[in-house]
C-alpha cells in the first residue's frame, strides 16, 4: 500500500510540475490510442474520470453502510 501511495504521489507531483511549466493548455502530445491531444483535453478527461470513479466508490460505500446522499 505504501509503495502504491508513493507511486501515485510521484505521478501527481510530475503532473503538477508539467502543468505549471506548460506554455499553455494548448500544448499537444500524442496518445497511441487517441492520437493528438491537448493538455486541456487531458485535464478535462481526468476531471471526468475522477468524477466517474468517485461515483463508483460512493455506490460501493452505500451498499456497505446503507447511507445515501452523502
Amino acid at each position: 500500500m505504501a509503495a502504491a501511495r508513493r507511486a501515485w504521489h510521484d505521478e501527481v507531483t510530475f503532473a503538477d510540475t508539467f502543468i505549471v511549466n506548460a506554455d499553455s493548455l494548448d500544448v499537444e502530445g500524442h496518445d497511441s490510442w487517441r492520437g493528438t491531444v491537448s493538455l486541456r483535453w487531458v485535464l478535462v478527461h481526468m476531471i471526468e474520470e475522477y468524477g466517474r470513479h468517485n461515483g463508483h466508490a460512493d455506490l460501493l460505500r452505500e451498499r456497505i453502510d446503507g447511507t445515501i446522499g452523502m
Side-chain angles (χ1 to χ4, degrees):
M1 187 71 161
R5 182 164 175 76
R6 270 192 311 278
W8 173 80
H9 185 268
D10 291 346
E11 291 299 322
V12 170
T13 300
F14 172 82
D16 287 345
T17 302
F18 185 90
I19 293 164
V20 166
N21 291 321
D23 291 333
S24 77
L25 293 178
D26 297 320
V27 170
E28 293 181 338
H30 181 77
D31 178 77
S32 61
W33 189 36
R34 292 176 177 88
T36 301
V37 295
S38 68
L39 178 55
R40 181 186 322 276
W41 183 90
V42 171
L43 294 174
V44 169
H45 181 69
M46 293 305 298
I47 292 167
E48 293 170 342
E49 286 296 310
Y50 267 92
R52 182 176 298 116
H53 293 292
N54 285 339
H56 293 161
D58 197 43
L59 290 172
L60 293 172
R61 183 204 43 79
E62 287 176 5
R63 297 293 294 177
I64 293 168
D65 69 13
T67 305
I68 59 172
M70 297 208 37

